[in-house]
Amino acid sequence: MDGTNLTRRSLAAYDRPVPRYTSYPTAAQFHAAVGPSDHRAWLAALPDDRATVYLHVPFCKQLCWYCACNTSAMSRTQPLDDYAQALMREIDLVADAVPHLLVGTIQWGGGTPSQLGAVRLAQVSRHLAGRFDRASSAETSVEVDPRFCDEAFVAAMVDAGVTRVSVGVQDFDIDVQSAINRLQSVEVTGAAIGRFRDSGVRHVNIDLVYGLPRQTLDSLSRTLDVALAIRPERFAVFGYAHVPWMKTRQQLIDVSTLPGLPERAAMADLVAERLVAAGYNRIGLDHFALPADPLATAAGRGQLRRSFQGYVAEALPSVVGLGASAISSLPQGFVQNASDTKRYQSAIAAGLLATERGVATHAADRLRAEIIDRLMCNFSADLGEICRRHEFAVGPFLAGIAELPALIDDGLVRLDGDRLHVTDRGQPLVRFVCAAFDQYLAQGKGRHSSGI
């Protein structure tokens, strides 16, 4: 893709916020009318099939100013003990509701899961294993801050069956790191990855971010040099989402130091060009994987899927979220736990699920969700086939997509019969293509980050 061409022709027209489409409906449509009783009933109705279990740890040693995750700084022992106990009690509550749940994938996210500590993480992992059966092929992944990743933590993760680690890097440039309050040396990062690889955890992801304060094309290129030398199996490279109205810590970032839209587009191009040239396959919007990695294999087979945790190689039908702010994706809809840690723990202590909001989905939601998922994963969607399976007439449905003619005129998509293709030029703007199928976006509910 020609980044200059995109800048000249498209940036001005698409300089607006849109969702990241890790779900549809998006979290902006969640509401308080969906609560614990709905959550429990939906869990009880789960079919005898595998599910992903996601565990959220909302703590970090220190806060990075760029971060929009649900987390807070915590180093005191008692709150960490209390949180681990709440996680185990929530596991019990879910197991009581759906004892037949078969765990197909386990994902630890945050925050920084390692902030919970090796002993507590191992304790929660053992409790989870004691309450649910686990598929023999189940992958366990954990997000890691390499600055706080000693040998004890690595050993605990190996004992817990961890098979993949996602290592937060963001950027190796010292000026950028200072601007986001995350000083992290190449040596510390390499040592942490080395500990995992030496312990038998061979699957390593590196997370990078473009569009950060003080970041330039040259500094990003140097970061890519270092990251490529580590040779992880996957990269996840996200555009920085500046949402200070949602995360006040981002107000500490000097907006005058943020790259402009043309620079952001050029950075996205640079990342793609460098990683593809180094032998990585481009996976959807923001992931890259070596050809032998399961994510690349799934993409090649058309089996790639997108979830709240990003792109996944196996499309398990449900996600059971545990912990403060965790989201569950169930056949009937989405439910989210209380984001405030104290409210979450109080509900769990009272023997209740900590559900605070969610949304029940209906037939039109499921139709649009599949189209958006296919566009985000494959950059194409057979609208006729999808509509037939969901019992919608494709002609009237397409006639109701008001933005589609403009997307075609702008060269972002083409329509071959009933099959919609996102062009090479449109792929960096695929979120805008998805937005055309989002019937809620025009209602103005929720605020989103830039789509570029």
Side-chain angles (χ1 to χ4, degrees):
M1 184 202 67
D2 183 345
T4 304
N5 190 46
L6 176 65
T7 299
R8 182 172 62 250
R9 298 182 182 179
S10 303
L11 287 181
Y14 293 94
D15 180 11
R16 64 180 189 271
V18 288
R20 289 186 178 268
Y21 292 113
T22 52
S23 73
Y24 184 83
T26 70
Q29 276 69 58
F30 293 5
H31 53 80
V34 174
S37 61
D38 302 291
H39 189 177
R40 181 176 290 277
W42 293 357
L43 284 172
L46 277 176
D48 293 330
D49 208 342
R50 292 178 298 162
T52 294
V53 173
Y54 172 77
L55 301 101
H56 188 83
V57 179
F59 305 119
C60 294
K61 186 74 171 180
Q62 66 182 51
L63 294 182
C64 304
W65 296 341
Y66 76 93
C67 179
C69 297
N70 178 55
T71 188
S72 60
M74 179 60 64
S75 58
R76 291 182 292 119
T77 299
Q78 191 60 52
L80 298 174
D81 289 339
D82 293 343
Y83 191 77
Q85 290 298 320
L87 277 176
M88 289 187 287
R89 177 56 181 144
E90 186 179 15
I91 289 170
D92 291 336
L93 292 172
V94 172
D96 290 344
V98 55
H100 59 271
L101 179 71
L102 178 63
V103 177
T105 302
I106 299 171
Q107 298 174 333
W108 285 89
T112 307
S114 56
Q115 187 60 17
L116 202 57
V119 173
R120 299 181 193 89
L121 278 167
Q123 186 180 19
V124 175
S125 295
R126 287 194 299 269
H127 195 76
L128 181 67
R131 293 306 309 259
F132 297 111
D133 290 333
R134 176 174 171 173
S136 59
S137 61
E139 177 178 89
T140 298
S141 63
V142 60
E143 296 176 6
V144 170
D145 184 336
R147 300 172 299 171
F148 312 106
C149 183
D150 58 17
E151 292 182 359
F153 175 73
V154 172
M157 292 299 92
V158 172
D159 289 343
V162 167
T163 56
R164 182 179 297 277
V165 293
S166 292
V167 180
V169 171
Q170 324 322 333
D171 194 292
F172 280 120
D173 184 86
I174 188 66
D175 287 339
V176 176
Q177 291 181 357
S178 297
I180 62 174
N181 195 40
R182 187 189 177 97
L183 297 177
Q184 176 179 321
S185 71
V186 175
E187 292 75 18
V188 165
T189 303
I193 292 174
R195 290 188 195 104
F196 275 106
R197 284 176 166 167
D198 291 345
S199 298
V201 181
R202 299 295 182 182
H203 300 291
V204 175
N205 307 350
I206 283 183
D207 298 339
L208 301 175
V209 178
Y210 66 86
L212 290 170
R214 302 184 194 170
Q215 196 177 52
T216 67
L217 283 170
D218 287 341
S219 70
L220 180 57
S221 183
R222 291 191 295 271
T223 285
L224 290 170
D225 289 339
V226 176
L228 283 168
I230 296 172
R231 199 65 175 173
E233 281 65 33
R234 296 179 190 172
F235 281 96
V237 189
F238 306 109
Y240 168 59
H242 192 61
V243 287
W245 59 86
M246 184 174 71
K247 296 297 178 181
T248 56
R249 67 181 72 106
Q250 291 188 351
Q251 296 174 10
L252 297 170
I253 289 177
D254 181 356
V255 294
S256 70
T257 65
L258 293 175
L261 287 179
E263 290 78 15
R264 283 177 64 99
M267 287 175 177
D269 280 348
L270 173 67
V271 168
E273 291 165 3
R274 291 289 309 277
L275 297 187
V276 170
Y280 289 83
N281 290 357
R282 185 167 190 170
I283 309 295
L285 178 64
D286 45 30
H287 281 54
F288 300 83
L290 291 174
D293 186 89
L295 205 64
T297 303
R301 294 174 177 170
Q303 297 172 341
L304 188 71
R305 293 294 183 270
R306 189 163 172 84
S307 73
F308 283 103
Q309 287 70 53
Y311 288 104
V312 293
E314 188 175 15
L316 299 182
S318 300
V319 176
V320 175
L322 304 170
S325 81
I327 297 174
S328 295
S329 173
L330 305 171
Q332 299 88 342
F334 301 96
V335 289
Q336 184 173 23
N337 283 347
S339 295
D340 180 81
T341 304
K342 290 183 178 179
R343 292 202 308 273
Y344 160 76
Q345 292 180 174
S346 294
I348 298 299
L352 303 171
L353 294 173
T355 323
E356 277 202 345
R357 62 183 196 139
V359 62
T361 55
H362 50 72
D365 290 333
R366 292 187 285 273
L367 166 70
R368 292 170 184 265
E370 183 172 351
I371 292 171
I372 288 171
D373 182 77
R374 294 299 80 218
L375 292 172
M376 291 294 297
C377 293
N378 295 347
F379 296 123
S380 68
D382 188 336
L383 302 179
E385 191 271 336
I386 294 173
C387 282
R388 281 191 294 275
R389 281 194 293 100
H390 289 269
E391 300 182 346
F392 281 75
V394 65
F397 176 75
L398 278 175
I401 309 301
E403 294 184 31
L404 188 56
L407 293 170
I408 294 173
D409 289 345
D410 288 347
L412 271 60
V413 299
R414 71 177 189 275
L415 194 59
D416 296 333
D418 292 336
R419 182 176 285 276
L420 185 68
H421 299 274
V422 182
T423 64
D424 289 347
R425 183 173 165 217
Q427 287 181 12
L429 301 174
V430 66
R431 289 163 60 190
F432 293 97
V433 180
C434 295
F437 293 89
D438 185 344
Q439 64 179 347
Y440 300 107
L441 191 59
Q443 298 174 7
K445 293 182 179 179
R447 300 176 68 179
H448 306 284
S449 61
S450 170
I452 297 175

